[in-house]
Amino acid sequence: MRKVILTAAICGETTKEDSPHVPYTPREIAESAIEAGRVGASIAHLHARDEKGRTSFAASVYSDIVERIRSESDIVINCTTGGNTFEEKIDVLKISPEIATLNCGSANLRKKVMLNTPEELDRTAREMRDRGIKPELMIHSQGFVKNAVDLIS
């Protein structure tokens, strides 16, 4: 049998307008991650939303979601670090998920620019290393690959 790792991306930036099935509250996000684990996913990739369904990068919101998941599942937690400011990007690391995204450069995404300076990349990588968080290297272009290679070496 071939071994695979399934990652369930629970909601991302998808909205209810995109699909009525998108989980919007911390409870709904946690329930979706727990169900994904029950049906075979190994990893839950999380983007947090507050009680009103608004995108949140606060560690307290992530903590609420993760505590709910960990109370019923052993699925591996992977949190995004896609905040708008550097502080938002690393705040989630305070809850020490097993995995977190490490965006290896800047990119234009939909209607916004995801800015990640080399200094922020270095600081985020050090913070993840110090907390024992495994990085999920986010590669959106060839330049991101070079940044990742430089970081690893």
Side-chain angles (χ1 to χ4, degrees), residues 104-117:
C104 294
S106 299
N108 295 325
L109 301 175
R110 286 189 177 176
K111 298 177 182 178
K112 71 176 189 175
V113 174
M114 180 181 65
L115 181 63
N116 294 290
T117 67

Side-chain angles (χ1 to χ4, degrees), residues 102 104 121-122 125 135 137 139 145-153:
L102 182 59
C104 294
L121 176 60
D122 289 343
L137 301 178
I139 307 293
V145 174
K146 180 172 182 342
N147 290 344
V149 168
D150 288 349
L151 188 65
I152 292 166
S153 60

Side-chain angles (χ1 to χ4, degrees), residues 11-12 26 29-30 44-50 55-70 77-83 88-97 99-101:
C11 60
I29 293 167
H45 178 88
L46 303 177
H47 289 245
R49 295 195 174 160
D50 65 18
T55 298
S56 176
F57 301 105
S60 60
V61 176
Y62 273 99
S63 181
D64 180 24
I65 296 167
V66 170
E67 285 175 13
R68 292 171 190 256
I69 295 168
R70 288 187 173 149
I77 304 296
N78 178 354
C79 293
T80 187
T81 59
E88 284 180 339
K89 292 174 190 176
I90 64 167
D91 197 38
V92 68
L93 302 180
K94 292 176 185 172
I95 68 164
S96 296
I99 302 171
T101 56

Side-chain angles (χ1 to χ4, degrees), residues 30-46:
E31 287 173 353
S32 292
I34 292 163
E35 181 60 20
R38 283 190 188 121
V39 298
S42 303
I43 301 170
H45 178 88
L46 303 177

